[in-house]
């Protein structure tokens, strides 16, 4: 299906969680001189205007990035994330929001590689135009960025296979499908199972919504059974689910082969996000890992 447009949801609480985690995963990879590759299977448009078009219709960013924008007490990981958003808004007014490709590009080094897939033809064209514009700004003489960033208009589930393992044997695969149809959940599971046979030491980060449907609820348990060195699962809930079950109140990031630094960072960060973005007593978080089997929970009381 090609009806989904991420612009409707740009900058919401789910994006905050997804991009915070992604940035920290890349910071860890960047601690070694050896290059790494980032593969984004569902890249979207790259940049989203918040003051017009799709994003302004529901203004979901007001439940996410807007709640962090003017804070002076941001934890280090949140401050780094907000700084990246500020790079697109140099006048200090929140008008543009970076998608996963731009967040990754802001953290990656010259020797690292970014591979982007987008199936939706309109978003694929916008993504290509956005990176072409970024190239022109950074390379006014037209030198270009060579092979550092490559964009493919196609299905990332299938395209991933040809890229694994990356030449440096170091990398992050970000999987963030729209989940409009239940087959997406099966595609995620099958794609990671296959990817682990090709690149067992890679880090895989899966964003998923927490919805009132069986496939959504079963997703984490299925991923926990993957043959890997470990896993981490973090969820953020900003409000009590509505009686009719509509609306995104909660989402998660499931990381396979996570760095050891991720869990302690999230233990500090998640209570803060609940405090700042939670809207009622149903707000909270869960944080669990395959190493400890322990589950941390936090709930905001109002």
């Amino acid at each position: 299906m090609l009806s989904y447009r991420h612009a409707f949801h740009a900058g919401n609480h789910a994006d905050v969680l997804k991009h915070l985690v992604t940035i920290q995963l890349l910071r860890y990879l960047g601690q070694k001189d050896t290059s790494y590759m980032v593969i984004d299977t569902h890249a979207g448009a790259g940049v989203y205007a918040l003051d017009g078009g799709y994003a302004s219709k529901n203004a979901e960013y007001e439940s996410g990035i807007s709640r962090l924008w003017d804070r002076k007490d941001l934890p280090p990981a949140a401050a780094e994330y907000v700084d990246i958003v500020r790079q697109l808004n140099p006048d200090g007014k929140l008008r543009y929001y970076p998608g996963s490709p731009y967040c990754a590009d802001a953290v990656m080094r010259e020797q690292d590689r970014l591979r982007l897939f987008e199936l939706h033809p309109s978003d694929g064209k916008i993504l290509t135009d956005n990176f072409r514009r970024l190239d022109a700004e950074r390379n006014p003489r037209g030198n270009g960025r060579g092979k550092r960033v490559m964009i493919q208009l196609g299905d990332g589930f299938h395209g991933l296979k040809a890229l694994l393992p990356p030449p440096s044997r170091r990398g992050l695969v970000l999987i963030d499908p729209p989940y409009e149809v239940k087959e997406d959940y099966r595609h995620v599971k099958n794609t990671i199972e296959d990817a682990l046979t090709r690149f067992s030491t890679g880090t895989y980060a899966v964003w998923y919504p927490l919805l009132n449907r069986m496939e959504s609820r079963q997703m984490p348990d299925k991923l926990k059974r993957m043959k890997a060195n470990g896993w981490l699962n973090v969820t953020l809930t900003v409000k009590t689910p509505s009686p009719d079950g509509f609306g995104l109140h909660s989402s998660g990031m499931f990381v396979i082969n996570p760095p050891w630094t991720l869990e302690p960072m999230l233990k500090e960060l998640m209570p803060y996000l609940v405090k700042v973005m939670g809207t009622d007593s149903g707000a909270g978080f869960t944080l669990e890992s395959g190493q400890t089997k322990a589950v941390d929970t936090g709930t905001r009381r109002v």
Side-chain angles (χ1 to χ4, degrees):
M1 295 180 65
L2 296 177
S3 60
Y4 178 85
R5 303 298 293 275
H6 186 72
F8 284 108
H9 315 290
N12 67 3
H13 58 87
D15 266 358
V16 170
L17 177 64
K18 175 174 61 178
H19 295 147
L20 274 165
V21 171
T22 299
I23 290 166
Q24 293 307 307
L25 292 174
L26 296 181
R27 283 299 184 201
Y28 182 82
L29 284 171
Q31 291 179 9
K32 292 185 178 181
D33 292 337
T34 308
S35 66
Y36 62 81
M37 179 180 288
V38 178
I39 305 169
D40 191 336
T41 62
H42 298 76
V47 176
Y48 305 92
L50 300 179
D51 57 355
Y54 295 124
S56 64
K57 293 185 181 298
N58 296 326
E60 290 189 20
Y61 63 91
E62 294 179 355
S63 73
I65 182 60
S66 286
R67 293 177 178 262
L68 302 177
W69 189 245
D70 293 319
R71 302 284 303 196
K72 306 301 182 184
D73 60 345
L74 295 170
E80 181 175 13
Y81 157 69
V82 173
D83 284 345
I84 289 174
V85 182
R86 288 191 184 280
Q87 293 175 20
L88 284 177
N89 301 276
D91 62 356
K93 182 180 180 181
L94 181 59
R95 297 178 57 213
Y96 299 101
Y97 186 80
S100 301
Y102 260 55
C103 289
D105 181 75
V107 176
M108 296 170 67
R109 306 159 302 177
E110 191 60 34
Q111 68 265 36
D112 303 322
R113 298 291 179 260
L114 181 59
R115 302 294 181 256
L116 306 173
F117 292 92
E118 177 51 46
L119 184 61
H120 196 290
S122 297
D123 278 355
K125 182 181 185 303
I126 296 171
L127 177 67
T128 301
D129 291 344
N130 279 331
F131 268 92
R132 185 179 294 117
R133 189 176 302 112
L134 183 62
D135 269 349
E137 292 173 358
R138 294 183 177 179
N139 303 280
R141 296 184 179 180
N143 296 330
R145 306 173 77 189
K147 297 181 179 179
R148 186 175 182 276
V149 179
M150 289 188 176
I151 300 170
Q152 183 170 331
L153 305 182
D155 187 340
F157 284 132
H158 296 299
L160 175 63
K161 296 180 180 180
L163 296 178
L164 298 180
S168 66
R169 300 301 196 271
R170 303 184 69 235
L172 168 67
V173 177
L174 176 62
I175 301 178
D176 173 26
Y179 298 103
E180 277 190 303
V181 293
K182 63 182 180 181
E183 284 77 12
D184 277 346
Y185 296 92
R186 177 172 54 84
H187 289 325
V188 169
K189 175 179 176 293
N190 293 342
T191 296
I192 294 180
E193 284 180 335
D194 178 80
L196 284 169
T197 66
R198 302 168 187 267
F199 185 33
S200 62
T201 58
T203 298
Y204 299 85
V206 179
W207 178 86
Y208 63 96
L210 282 170
L211 305 172
N212 289 327
R213 63 185 307 174
M214 181 180 64
E215 294 82 8
S216 175
R217 298 294 176 178
Q218 291 179 343
M219 170 74 86
D221 287 336
K222 290 183 177 180
L223 295 178
K224 290 174 187 178
R225 293 195 288 268
M226 297 286 178
K227 294 181 180 179
N229 294 327
W231 55 265
L232 180 146
N233 185 43
V234 58
T235 69
L236 172 64
T237 300
V238 297
K239 62 182 178 181
T240 302
S242 60
D244 59 15
F246 290 104
L248 182 65
H249 57 83
S250 181
S251 69
M253 280 290 280
F254 195 100
V255 183
I256 294 173
N257 295 332
W260 67 270
T261 54
L262 185 60
E263 187 168 14
M265 182 277 293
L266 289 172
K267 283 183 177 180
E268 174 188 356
L269 178 65
M270 296 310 296
Y272 178 87
L273 294 183
V274 171
K275 179 182 72 172
V276 172
M277 294 194 289
T279 61
D280 62 27
S281 61
F285 75 92
T286 63
L287 176 60
E288 55 181 340
S289 71
Q291 287 73 29
T292 63
K293 302 296 185 183
V295 178
D296 289 337
T297 62
T299 302
R300 182 188 182 202
R301 303 297 182 186
V302 294

